[in-house]
Amino acid sequence: MTREDFIAVDRFSFFYGEKQALHDIDMRIPERRVTALIGPSGCGKSTLLRNMNRMNDLIDGVRHRGDIRLNGQSLYDPKVEVISLRKRVGMVFQKYNPFAKTVYENVVFSLRVAGRNRKRELDEVVERSLRSAALWEEVKDRLHDSAFGLSGGQQQRLCIARAIANQPEILLMDEPCAALDPTATLKIESLIRELKEQFTIVIVTHNMEQATRCSDRTAFLYMGRLIEYGDTKQVFENPREDETEAYISGKFS
Amino acid sequence: MRSNTPHIIREFDEAFLSLGGKVSTMAGQTRINLERSIQGLLNRDIDLCRAVIADDADVDETEREIDAEGLDILMRYHPVASDLRKVISSMKVAANLERISDHAVNIAKRAKKMISRPLVSEAKLIEPVYSLADALLRDAVAAYIDSDSGLGASLKLRDKELDKADKRTTARLSELLEEGGENAELFLHLVFVVRSLERVGDLAVNIGEDAVFLDLAEDIRYRRKAAVAIVKEHPVGNADEDPVQPGQEGDEGERAGESTGSGNE
């Protein structure tokens, strides 16, 4: 059974100093589905995504109100350690950012950090993660070459393999295809559709077609507010809110 | 309905304006063609009948242009929401209008044959059938242009009236046919004219359904109950009478285009 409120955002507001970036966001993100966050630049979609991983903690002068719960557990519970949280949440960024290491070492990086060094276990993780990231066939003979020798699309899939090596529950993707060509983009999108069998995926995208192609749910944010959230098909074919319609059809002046 | 806020790409608005304009033009051409085919028949005006047959080519050309522009918009701009529905339904409306114009041609061709024979007073029998068919076509086009889902859905219910007139008139003409005599061939032509008009009504109902889809993103084809619900929710302001007749609800109707006899003979 899919849990409908796997990620529960409860009246969440977020402030950078005096500036309020998110206003009372309330949404339930279902388990093992792809949820797309769309909206114009500065609408707060990346801020919301990064809050799901507490990545904004490091910025000075930020504060929040409300709560975000992952599988029932509050992210801001004082008992939650950020390190253990990050194990539950994998993250992929706009610009692929493999480490200056071999393909193999990139994938097992988080396991080594956690002190897991048994070769057989690491070998298994590498193969499983690279297969899940649809990269295994392309790199299985180059596992010990530098990650920088891969193409852009391959490097991004390597980052996805790295993000899922630790078997997180949630995969957050911030414009994962922004730096890729159309072919590599389609590969990543097809991968996203496969990965949702195992992970709950939240993706920030500027690309409307991408949201329609690979997400099940779409949330439209505008000026820090959640304007509309629903099934992707409904949001793009028959949006309920005028602002959503104006944005997706390109009518913001 | 499409908002009036300009699109960030000016050419997008221009393309939409052109597409909408072409559909309006085609609707006008089609309605005039149908009207002239009936006038040609009743007034025994062979030039008018010839004009209908010739002008059908313009309707065909406009349909082709609408399809080409619609495809162009889909390919270039990837429209969504009401814009997407506008493109899709414009192309569907154009296809229905083209077939209505084909029926006008059928009528004009039969009229030409009838004009070569002496006048029969029974030709007047088709007038009420034409009035009903034309009213449906007029309202279908209006519903589409104004994105008026109430008016669009009401056509599905009002078409019953045309069906009854068709049955009544055809029954009368069949009686005359059975009597035989030298006018039998004329009565047969009239039976086919009435049949064409009935099909025009069905095609107008299709356009009404496209108007509902455009306005509400709801597909009411083959769903009479949905049409009844929409008419109740969006009452038609200037309707002459309540289009929902008792006993009609839940009666799933046939849709024009799937049965036989729609094209040019």
Side-chain angles (χ1 to χ4, degrees), chain B residues 1-264:
Chain B
M1 226 183 134
R2 259 193 114 221
S3 71
N4 293 323
T5 320
H7 194 274
I8 49 171
I9 305 171
R10 185 174 45 84
E11 290 87 346
F12 180 89
D13 281 335
E14 287 168 1
F16 258 86
L17 211 59
S18 167
L19 184 71
K22 287 225 159 70
V23 177
S24 298
T25 304
M26 188 176 176
Q29 288 171 327
T30 304
R31 199 161 160 229
I32 289 172
N33 261 5
L34 185 66
E35 186 188 349
R36 289 193 304 185
S37 71
I38 297 293
Q39 274 178 1
L41 191 157
L42 294 175
N43 302 337
R44 302 170 70 74
D45 184 340
I46 199 150
D47 289 334
L48 211 48
C49 295
R50 287 198 183 114
V52 170
I53 295 164
D55 288 353
D56 183 53
D58 294 343
V59 176
D60 291 350
E61 177 58 20
T62 314
E63 185 202 16
R64 213 189 51 72
E65 287 171 10
I66 289 169
D67 279 358
E69 288 188 14
L71 275 176
D72 194 58
I73 291 175
L74 290 176
M75 191 262 295
R76 280 203 204 177
Y77 303 109
H78 298 247
V80 291
S82 60
D83 294 336
L84 176 62
R85 302 201 299 272
K86 178 85 187 176
V87 177
I88 299 290
S89 51
S90 292
M91 291 162 83
K92 289 169 84 172
V93 166
N96 283 314
L97 288 172
E98 190 274 332
R99 288 169 63 186
I100 291 174
S101 186
D102 282 348
H103 281 293
V105 170
N106 290 346
I107 294 170
K109 282 181 180 167
R110 293 199 181 270
K112 269 173 68 187
K113 288 179 189 153
M114 290 172 73
I115 291 166
S116 61
R117 306 278 305 268
L119 177 69
V120 285
S121 59
E122 284 81 1
K124 293 270 178 226
L125 285 173
I126 64 165
E127 261 180 324
V129 186
Y130 164 70
S131 298
L132 286 168
D134 183 56
L136 288 177
L137 176 57
R138 179 196 65 210
D139 288 349
V141 170
Y144 180 72
I145 289 172
D146 301 336
S147 286
D148 183 341
S149 48
L151 185 60
S154 74
L155 296 170
K156 210 177 174 82
L157 315 174
R158 280 163 53 194
D159 185 44
K160 282 276 179 232
E161 214 180 320
L162 175 58
D163 290 348
K164 277 185 204 151
D166 163 45
K167 281 208 182 86
R168 208 165 44 230
T169 313
T170 306
R172 174 73 190 121
L173 290 167
S174 303
E175 280 170 23
L176 293 166
L177 255 175
E178 279 169 24
E179 286 169 16
E182 57 180 9
N183 285 333
E185 190 193 325
L186 291 176
F187 296 139
L188 191 60
H189 283 312
L190 287 173
V191 167
F192 279 107
V193 169
V194 170
R195 190 193 157 87
S196 275
L197 290 172
E198 189 272 329
R199 299 291 304 161
V200 167
D202 291 345
L203 294 162
V205 170
N206 290 0
I207 295 173
E209 291 167 345
D210 294 333
V212 173
F213 177 71
L214 173 64
D215 188 20
L216 303 176
E218 196 171 332
D219 184 352
I220 61 163
R221 289 175 297 176
Y222 324 110
R223 293 169 60 222
R224 196 174 190 84
K225 280 180 188 162
V228 172
I230 288 171
V231 172
K232 278 187 181 149
E233 202 174 320
H234 306 264
V236 183
N238 54 356
D240 301 333
E241 54 187 301
D242 181 5
V244 185
Q245 304 289 330
Q248 280 189 4
E249 298 187 23
D251 172 12
E252 300 294 321
E254 181 191 297
R255 186 176 146 78
E258 280 70 33
S259 54
T260 53
S262 53
N264 252 326

Side-chain angles (χ1 to χ4, degrees), chain A residues 209 212 235-239 245 248-253, chain B residues 2-3 5-8 78 80-83 85 216-217:
Chain A
E209 284 85 38
T212 59
V235 171
F236 280 92
E237 280 181 17
N238 191 22
E245 167 121 12
I248 60 174
S249 54
K251 290 194 203 73
F252 264 113
S253 46
Chain B
R2 259 193 114 221
S3 71
T5 320
H7 194 274
I8 49 171
H78 298 247
V80 291
S82 60
D83 294 336
R85 302 201 299 272
L216 303 176

Side-chain angles (χ1 to χ4, degrees), chain A:
Chain A
M1 254 277 301
T2 311
R3 189 171 165 167
E4 273 299 310
D5 59 347
F6 196 73
I7 306 175
V9 183
D10 290 329
R11 305 205 57 176
F12 189 80
S13 297
F14 190 79
F15 304 81
Y16 292 107
E18 288 304 301
K19 188 184 172 332
Q20 185 166 2
L22 297 173
H23 296 259
D24 273 342
I25 307 284
D26 214 51
M27 66 189 287
R28 304 279 173 270
I29 295 173
E31 187 180 12
R32 278 179 268 133
R33 293 280 182 276
V34 181
T35 300
L37 306 180
I38 62 167
S41 301
C43 72
K45 53 194 189 302
S46 289
T47 301
L48 178 61
L49 188 84
R50 295 163 78 89
N51 268 304
M52 291 174 186
N53 202 9
R54 282 184 61 178
M55 283 188 64
N56 292 323
D57 282 15
L58 297 174
I59 304 169
D60 284 339
V62 299
R63 62 196 167 89
H64 73 275
R65 200 169 57 215
D67 198 7
I68 300 178
R69 283 175 289 125
L70 301 187
N71 206 358
Q73 189 186 22
S74 168
L75 278 186
Y76 292 93
D77 186 329
K79 287 188 292 255
V80 169
E81 281 181 43
V82 173
I83 302 290
S84 67
L85 168 70
R86 299 274 160 83
K87 279 186 193 157
R88 296 172 61 192
V89 183
M91 185 124 187
V92 177
F93 298 89
Q94 194 177 95
K95 178 77 184 137
Y96 38 89
N97 53 354
F99 302 133
K101 290 173 176 291
T102 64
V103 171
Y104 187 97
E105 287 303 323
N106 261 282
V107 179
V108 301
F109 189 82
S110 65
L111 282 81
R112 289 214 194 273
V113 169
R116 287 154 66 185
N117 282 313
R118 284 188 18 244
K119 185 167 184 310
R120 182 193 281 184
E121 187 197 356
L122 298 186
D123 286 352
E124 273 174 23
V125 167
V126 167
E127 180 167 349
R128 190 193 63 224
S129 307
L130 289 173
R131 278 192 190 283
S132 292
L135 191 59
W136 175 252
E137 291 302 326
E138 291 164 54
V139 300
K140 63 183 178 189
D141 302 321
R142 308 194 255 165
L143 291 177
H144 300 286
D145 295 355
S146 165
F148 294 148
L150 303 179
S151 73
Q154 287 172 332
Q155 289 191 37
Q156 186 63 307
R157 277 180 284 149
L158 177 61
C159 293
I160 293 174
R162 185 178 65 193
I164 62 182
N166 228 336
Q167 296 269 308
E169 297 159 55
I170 293 163
L171 200 52
L172 303 177
M173 304 178 126
D174 194 352
E175 298 233 33
C177 304
L180 302 179
D181 65 69
T183 315
T185 296
L186 288 176
K187 270 194 185 166
I188 301 277
E189 286 178 9
S190 135
L191 176 60
I192 290 171
R193 287 190 293 270
E194 281 170 30
L195 289 173
K196 75 172 181 181
E197 305 280 322
Q198 304 169 59
F199 308 101
T200 301
I201 300 174
V202 185
I203 175 172
V204 163
T205 180
H206 264 121
N207 181 332
M208 298 295 138
E209 284 85 38
Q210 179 160 70
T212 59
R213 281 193 298 262
C214 62
S215 73
D216 302 294
R217 301 273 180 98
T218 295
F220 170 56
L221 284 90
Y222 184 55
M223 294 174 66
R225 293 174 202 279
L226 179 64
I227 304 295
E228 181 157 359
Y229 176 47
D231 284 338
T232 296
K233 189 173 144 63
Q234 175 257 313
V235 171
F236 280 92
E237 280 181 17
N238 191 22
R240 281 187 293 266
E241 305 297 330
D242 291 345
E243 286 118 314
T244 315
E245 167 121 12
Y247 178 70
I248 60 174
S249 54
K251 290 194 203 73
F252 264 113
S253 46

